Amino acid sequence: MADRLAVYPGTFDPLTNGHVDIILRGARLFDRIVVAMLVNPEKSPLLSLDERVAIAREVFADHPNVDVDTFDGLLVDYARRKGASVIVRGLRAVSDFEYELQMALMNRRLNPEVETVFMMPGEAYTYLSSRLVKEVFALGGDITGLVPEAVHVRLQRKRAGA
Ligand code: PNS
């Protein structure tokens, strides 16, 4: 049987421990999972795409079935090019559901052969989002335990102007 490849798309600005939790669950469920970072020049990210890729590669260096890649254009086109049959998305709370349902159904319409699979992160991460991490960090709050060490280090370096 062919390898079952899943794509886990997102912005990952920054990668949080909630993302890491979902990726590790996906890596147990599928033969390979590709963390696919959207190239989105319209948004002004805190971390550049190169920084986000470098962080994810560092975090998953010991996980040979986790790949890190970038994509632009339609997600389903990227999935097709990669030969992926599954899109993984995390669902934290009911508030995520509407947006995720819309995306999943639109993606299904665009390519019925790609299935979206939702996974729940560990309950410790249900309130966690990249947006909140950025806000707390910008306002001087402690983000220890919310993001991988590699993210924390980069953000501190950025704050120091390095
Ligand atoms: O981490 P995010 O910002 O919630 O991820 C959103 C993402 C990257 C999954 C979504 O914006 C996306 O898939 N963009 C690619 C463009 C696309 O395919 N749009 C139609 C999907 S309904």
Side-chain angles (χ1 to χ4, degrees), residues 8-151:
Y8 180 51
T11 311
F12 305 105
D13 183 41
L15 185 75
T16 69
N17 283 343
H19 294 131
V20 172
D21 179 283
I22 295 288
I23 294 162
L24 295 179
R25 286 172 201 280
R28 285 198 293 271
L29 208 54
F30 303 102
D31 295 308
R32 207 148 59 85
I33 183 162
V34 182
V35 181
M37 305 203 177
L38 178 66
V39 179
N40 188 355
E42 283 154 46
K43 284 190 189 172
S44 48
L46 176 64
L47 295 168
S48 71
L49 189 62
D50 286 350
E51 287 176 304
R52 283 177 276 148
V53 167
I55 287 168
R57 292 212 167 118
E58 189 180 325
V59 170
F60 296 103
D62 295 335
H63 293 83
N65 70 333
V66 177
D67 292 343
V68 180
D69 196 9
T70 62
F71 78 103
D72 56 10
L74 283 177
L75 174 60
V76 288
D77 290 344
Y78 171 76
R80 190 184 282 125
R81 284 199 302 278
K82 295 294 280 189
S85 53
V86 173
I87 294 168
V88 167
R89 291 286 288 173
L91 266 190
R92 291 162 299 191
V94 178
S95 49
D96 284 340
F97 182 74
E98 210 166 324
Y99 170 60
E100 294 298 336
L101 178 72
Q102 281 184 335
M103 277 209 301
L105 295 183
M106 180 60 81
N107 283 330
R108 180 185 283 166
R109 182 195 160 94
L110 293 169
N111 184 348
E113 281 167 19
V114 178
E115 203 62 57
T116 300
V117 170
F118 292 108
M119 285 197 280
M120 269 61 75
E123 58 269 29
Y125 305 121
T126 48
Y127 65 94
L128 189 53
S129 70
S130 297
R131 186 182 60 78
L132 274 187
V133 165
K134 278 188 277 199
E135 186 172 318
V136 169
F137 184 77
L139 297 173
D142 184 10
I143 57 166
T144 307
L146 303 182
V147 295
E149 183 60 20
V151 170

